[in-house]
Amino acid sequence: MADNLVEMDVVTADGSEITVSEASNPDLYWGMRGAGQNFGIVTKFIYKIFDYPNGQDIFHATYHFTEDQLEILFEHLYRLLDNGTLPKDVNAYVVLRSKPLISPRAILVYHFYYFGTREQAFPYVQSILDLGPIFISNASFPYKHVSHRSFQASVGDPTCAAGLSTKTRFPVGLKTYNASTNRKIYSLFEDMITTVPALATSFVQFEAFPMQAVKAVDPASTAYAHREDDILVYGRKARELFLEGARPMRFHAYSNYANGDETLEQLYGYESWRLEKLRQLKRKWDPNGSFRFFNPFTDY
């Protein structure tokens, strides 16, 4: 989303109100797109918007799979992702969670979104149905309702209510799925919720989005560093296993989901020039560290 920011009105640490864009304070424009929580408060912004593809509908389906179907499900996802070229009209992710009304063991819930009608989504849907899900639900609704209908994350929903969000995330960015690692993740999760039933509302999430537009942007043009990642997953113990299966890839943490135990390199990139540029911006725009609430850049 940061790639589409054109201009911002920002209140800086000394109380100044400034305009930040490619033409005005371009150094801060670079930093605000990827590390903005470290530098100021945005009071207004100009943002690029685009026509919605395929009309106004969105099709969302959930497909439930049992643990013995894990390998074939992720093989399907591997083919769909195709090295970061997930079709731009598709979003697909899997959540490993407990649903005792459907299965006594942890199950895999495959969320599939198509930005268009049910009929337009059918070529993708058929390949999922061929895998043999044990339970299916689906609905079509206007795009403007997607946050509420899919994530309960719209205005007035519990996720967005003050003081009520209790989700703790431990993210890691990956290039691809590792089948043997995913099997270990399942075993870890199943053992956890069996041993400690109070953790049964926990989940491990495997997110994937179309990345073509993200990768088309020069990595040096913004503070966001991890453009090569194709998959985002989270879960603390699971994170260790994911990293083990992704070697020699370094640990990348998506800062919006970060837990707070990550290093600056893991959050903001391993390139020395990138970290030094952020240090210089912090010294210039917030020398006393006023903005340090969320994943702060502290080494400056």
Side-chain angles (χ1 to χ4, degrees), residues 28-66:
L28 192 54
Y29 181 61
W30 180 89
M32 291 295 292
R33 294 174 299 148
Q37 72 272 19
N38 290 283
F39 304 117
I41 299 170
V42 177
T43 60
K44 186 173 72 173
F45 59 88
I46 298 174
Y47 196 75
K48 294 178 187 176
I49 60 175
F50 303 88
D51 290 334
Y52 182 76
N54 302 323
Q56 295 297 315
D57 289 335
I58 185 167
F59 173 75
H60 173 220
T62 57
Y63 305 91
H64 296 67
F65 293 88
T66 53

Side-chain angles (χ1 to χ4, degrees), residues 24-163:
S24 178
N25 299 300
D27 60 338
L28 192 54
Y29 181 61
W30 180 89
M32 291 295 292
R33 294 174 299 148
Q37 72 272 19
N38 290 283
F39 304 117
I41 299 170
V42 177
T43 60
K44 186 173 72 173
F45 59 88
I46 298 174
Y47 196 75
K48 294 178 187 176
I49 60 175
F50 303 88
D51 290 334
Y52 182 76
N54 302 323
Q56 295 297 315
D57 289 335
I58 185 167
F59 173 75
H60 173 220
T62 57
Y63 305 91
H64 296 67
F65 293 88
T66 53
E67 61 87 18
D68 59 307
Q69 298 170 296
L70 183 148
E71 281 78 13
I72 62 168
L73 174 59
F74 280 103
E75 177 61 29
H76 162 84
L77 284 169
Y78 181 82
R79 293 194 302 270
L80 185 63
L81 290 174
D82 193 20
N83 295 316
T85 58
L86 185 70
K88 65 181 180 64
D89 297 330
V90 172
N91 181 17
Y93 66 91
V94 171
V95 182
L96 175 57
R97 66 188 318 158
S98 173
K99 277 199 171 184
L101 293 179
I102 296 177
S103 173
R105 301 192 65 187
I107 61 171
L108 300 117
V109 184
Y110 180 6
H111 290 262
F112 175 86
Y113 294 83
Y114 185 83
F115 295 87
T117 66
R118 185 190 309 262
E119 292 73 24
Q120 291 168 322
F122 184 77
Y124 298 102
V125 169
Q126 186 58 56
S127 66
I128 305 170
L129 295 175
D130 290 343
L131 301 178
I134 62 168
F135 182 79
I136 302 168
S137 65
N138 59 70
S140 293
F141 45 82
Y143 175 75
K144 64 182 179 180
H145 295 153
V146 65
S147 292
H148 169 66
R149 293 288 298 270
S150 302
F151 308 108
Q152 293 292 297
S154 188
V155 174
D157 288 331
T159 303
C160 297

